[in-house]
């Protein structure tokens, strides 16, 4: 009796069995048989406050009985208006226009189209190149794959991907190379670069690679100097993950365009927003219908998702969420400190609530055989961790208890011995 479902990022030939989850609460998932699993990766980086937060449930419940869905062209509704106003207030200065969509990938596609549309309508259509950072991940649609790392993930589709200019990842000690590379590209392609897109401070799917706020600030400064649109993909880093509400805050910068999704509804429902400065909106504002922003998803600004998104902003204001973030960050630091002498690990790193370390093995990279073995080891101990190749990372909901986090790190510390690595 096999299921008709084709699962995402799953090699069914190697992983025929899917764990059936019946319910979730806080930092825990519960299987059909009632087995408890600690969700140490926030169900793919989306859940911030914990699963099934009562305030988010209540918001969804209330809204579902009032207005389920409405076309968002030519119409608006209170949940979207309230959420948009809250987003403008909570995000860095100058991001005064909000475009809703339904996933991180779409939020990035929208950002790229905003930047290109902006230059086009300003009569600078030659500004159409995008600069990206090595090892970046911005989604799995064709446009977002184009601005992401090329490799195994997208080899079959290489012919569909557009050309970009790539700056190296700012490895510790080599930060200057990254900034210099950007400067070089800007010199070599005067008035041809539309935008730079980056994941601020942490490259998630690229292996939880971390870099300093200074580099981020330097990149922003160069973009400003040459009028290059600076797009911050905060789909993963937003909503407290890196220790501040948005990662850009740590560099003291305000991006020209910002993408948010994963934690936007606290991880409750799919929703995304691309925030931009008014000049992007103004460039499309015209009595000429051909200049309108040609983009929509059917479920753009779904009222229930927006109501939950707004409830999420209420939680950030009403509950001590920042304190939980700080506490989790401190616990993560202490656990990493404990693992420092462990011979099985290297490159221990942390940014806010996110910790990561590399298992020392000869066989590295995403397709390394180590990842599925580690995954099974953790599953057996009731811990959901999903290593990226030989990189183990812990990215839990902010409500995770000290005991649960201990259990997660016990499982990590034991892995090299148990698996005889
Ligand atoms: C997850 C992610 C995306 C894509 O979001 P989806 O909702 O999966 O489409 C884009 N950018 C970053 C940085 C991400 O981590």
């Amino acid at each position: 009796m096999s299921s008709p479902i084709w699962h995402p990022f799953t090699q069914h030939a190697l992983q025929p069995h899917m764990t059936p989850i019946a319910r979730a609460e806080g930092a825990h998932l519960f299987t059909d048989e009632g087995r408890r699993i600690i969700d140490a990766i926030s169900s793919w980086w989306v859940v911030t406050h914990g699963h099934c937060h009562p305030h988010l449930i209540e918001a969804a419940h209330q809204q579902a009985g009032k207005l389920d869905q409405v076309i968002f062209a030519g119409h608006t509704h209170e949940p979207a208006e309230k959420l948009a106003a809250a987003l403008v207030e909570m995000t860095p200065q100058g991001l005064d226009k909000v475009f809703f969509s339904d996933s991180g990938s779409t939020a990035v596609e929208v950002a790229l189209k905003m930047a290109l549309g902006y230059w086009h309508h300003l009569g600078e259509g030659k500004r159409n190149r995008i600069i990206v950072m090595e090892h970046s991940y911005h989604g799995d649609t064709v446009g977002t794959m184009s601005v992401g790392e090329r490799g195994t993930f997208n080899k079959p589709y290489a012919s569909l991907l557009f050309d970009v200019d790539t700056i190296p990842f700012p490895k510790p000690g080599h930060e200057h190379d990254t900034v210099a590379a950007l400067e070089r590209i800007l010199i070599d392609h005067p008035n041809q670069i539309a935008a730079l897109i980056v994941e601020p401070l942490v490259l998630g799917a690229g292996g939880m690679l971390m870099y300093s706020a200074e580099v981020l600030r330097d990149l922003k400064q160069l973009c400003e100097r040459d009028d290059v649109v600076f797009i911050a993909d905060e789909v993963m880093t937003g909503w407290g993950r890196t220790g501040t509400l948005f990662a850009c805050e740590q560099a003291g910068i305000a991006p020209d365009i910002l993408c948010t999704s994963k934690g936007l509804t606290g991880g409750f429902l799919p929703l995304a927003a691309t925030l931009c400065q008014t000049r992007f909106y103004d460039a499309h504002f015209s009595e000429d219908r051909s200049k309108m922003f040609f983009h929509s998803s059917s479920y753009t600004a779904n009222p229930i998702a927006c109501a939950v998104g707004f409830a999420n902003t209420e939680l950030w204001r009403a509950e001590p969420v920042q304190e939980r973030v700080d506490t989790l960050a401190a616990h993560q630091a202490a656990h990493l400190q404990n693992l420092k002498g462990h011979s099985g690990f290297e490159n221990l790193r942390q940014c806010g609530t996110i910790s990561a370390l590399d298992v020392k093995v000869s066989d590295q990279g995403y397709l390394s055989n180590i990842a599925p073995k580690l995954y099974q080891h953790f599953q057996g101990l009731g811990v959901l961790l999903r290593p990226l190749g030989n990189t183990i990372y812990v990215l839990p909901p902010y409500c995770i208890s000290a005991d649960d986090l201990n259990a997660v790190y016990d499982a990590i510390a034991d892995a090299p011995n148990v698996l005889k690595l």
Side-chain angles (χ1 to χ4, degrees):
M1 208 197 35
S2 83
S3 164
I5 298 174
W6 192 348
H7 286 262
F9 272 79
T10 299
Q11 179 44 277
H12 285 261
L14 296 173
Q15 193 191 351
H17 175 71
M18 301 297 133
T19 309
I21 301 300
R23 62 184 193 89
E25 190 183 343
H28 298 138
L29 304 171
F30 296 90
T31 66
D32 281 0
E33 299 109 43
R35 194 163 63 84
R36 201 188 78 170
I37 300 171
I38 301 170
D39 186 354
I41 58 165
S42 299
S43 281
W44 249 352
W45 323 347
V46 297
V47 175
T48 48
H49 311 291
H51 287 274
C52 290
H53 192 290
H55 186 61
L56 303 184
I57 295 176
E58 180 58 21
H61 187 78
Q62 288 293 329
Q63 187 56 39
K66 247 192 273 180
L67 175 66
D68 51 352
Q69 163 71 9
V70 63
I71 175 173
F72 206 57
H75 301 76
T76 193
H77 49 76
E78 193 183 349
E81 295 291 345
K82 281 162 72 173
L83 174 56
L87 289 177
V88 167
E89 196 177 305
M90 295 171 88
T91 50
Q93 189 104 74
L95 298 166
D96 292 332
K97 287 287 171 187
V98 182
F99 192 95
F100 285 112
S101 58
D102 44 25
S103 74
S105 307
T106 329
V108 170
E109 297 271 359
V110 165
L112 297 173
K113 284 174 74 172
M114 278 177 176
L116 269 285
Y118 171 77
W119 291 120
H120 180 85
H121 295 318
L122 254 54
E124 292 203 46
K126 284 214 185 80
R127 275 201 185 254
N128 58 12
R129 295 188 68 84
I130 309 281
I131 304 180
V132 307
M133 186 181 280
E134 180 194 19
H135 302 315
S136 292
Y137 176 82
H138 298 289
D140 289 326
T141 56
V142 171
T144 58
M145 282 192 293
S146 296
V147 291
E149 176 84 351
R150 306 293 167 96
T152 316
F153 300 113
N154 44 45
K155 204 172 245 150
Y157 330 113
S159 62
L160 298 180
L161 308 186
F162 58 77
D163 280 344
V164 294
D165 296 296
T166 305
I167 56 174
F169 172 78
K171 283 200 281 283
H174 299 266
E175 285 90 349
H176 182 71
D177 296 351
T178 303
V179 181
L182 176 59
E183 198 153 23
R184 189 75 249 160
I185 294 170
L186 295 177
I187 291 169
D188 289 348
H189 303 278
N191 302 315
Q192 290 167 44
I193 307 298
L196 166 75
I197 180 164
V198 286
E199 297 167 81
L201 302 188
V202 186
L203 276 59
M208 293 299 158
L209 305 174
M210 302 174 185
Y211 65 95
S212 72
E214 287 73 41
V215 177
L216 192 60
R217 194 163 46 223
D218 289 348
L219 297 177
K220 174 69 170 70
Q221 249 170 25
L222 275 179
C223 287
E224 247 168 60
R225 198 187 69 189
D226 275 35
D227 255 347
V228 168
V229 176
F230 186 94
I231 304 172
D233 176 356
E234 292 240 21
V235 168
M236 190 279 281
T237 51
W239 303 101
R241 277 301 165 202
T242 67
T244 46
L245 187 55
F246 290 96
C248 282
E249 293 169 26
Q250 293 179 45
I253 59 162
D256 303 325
I257 300 179
L258 180 148
C259 308
T260 175
S261 183
K262 289 181 169 121
L264 174 55
T265 60
F268 197 99
L269 278 171
L271 183 69
T274 307
L275 284 93
C276 67
Q277 294 165 341
T278 306
R279 62 184 167 121
F280 297 96
Y281 172 87
D282 288 344
H284 294 78
F285 187 87
S286 162
E287 285 174 12
D288 179 353
R289 291 168 59 82
S290 74
K291 287 192 174 176
M292 77 168 90
F293 189 48
F294 292 109
H295 196 95
S296 172
S297 328
S298 305
Y299 285 98
T300 291
N302 170 265
I304 305 172
C306 285
V308 176
F310 181 68
N312 168 50
T313 65
E314 287 180 319
L315 282 180
W316 272 92
R317 289 168 169 147
E319 289 194 358
V321 182
Q322 186 62 48
E323 263 174 68
R324 284 177 209 145
V325 164
D326 295 343
T327 304
L328 175 54
H331 286 162
Q332 292 275 48
H335 281 293
L336 283 183
Q337 189 60 36
N338 283 340
L339 284 179
K340 255 202 175 130
H342 198 300
S343 61
F345 304 117
E346 59 191 349
N347 301 328
L348 280 60
R349 54 199 185 271
Q350 182 194 4
C351 183
T353 72
I354 308 167
S355 76
L357 44 82
D358 300 340
V359 180
K360 278 193 208 160
V361 278
S362 47
D363 173 23
Q364 294 194 350
Y366 187 85
L367 295 185
S368 133
N369 282 319
I370 179 83
K373 284 185 202 152
L374 287 166
Y375 179 83
Q376 286 307 330
H377 163 75
F378 296 131
Q379 283 281 309
L381 294 169
V383 173
L384 172 54
L385 283 172
R386 199 172 181 282
L388 294 157
N390 66 318
T391 298
I392 299 175
Y393 66 91
V394 184
L395 193 154
Y398 309 149
C399 66
I400 192 169
S401 70
D403 282 351
D404 281 343
L405 202 59
N406 287 340
V408 170
Y409 276 91
D410 285 347
I412 293 173
D414 285 349
N417 282 336
V418 174
L419 299 176
K420 303 196 168 40
L421 299 173

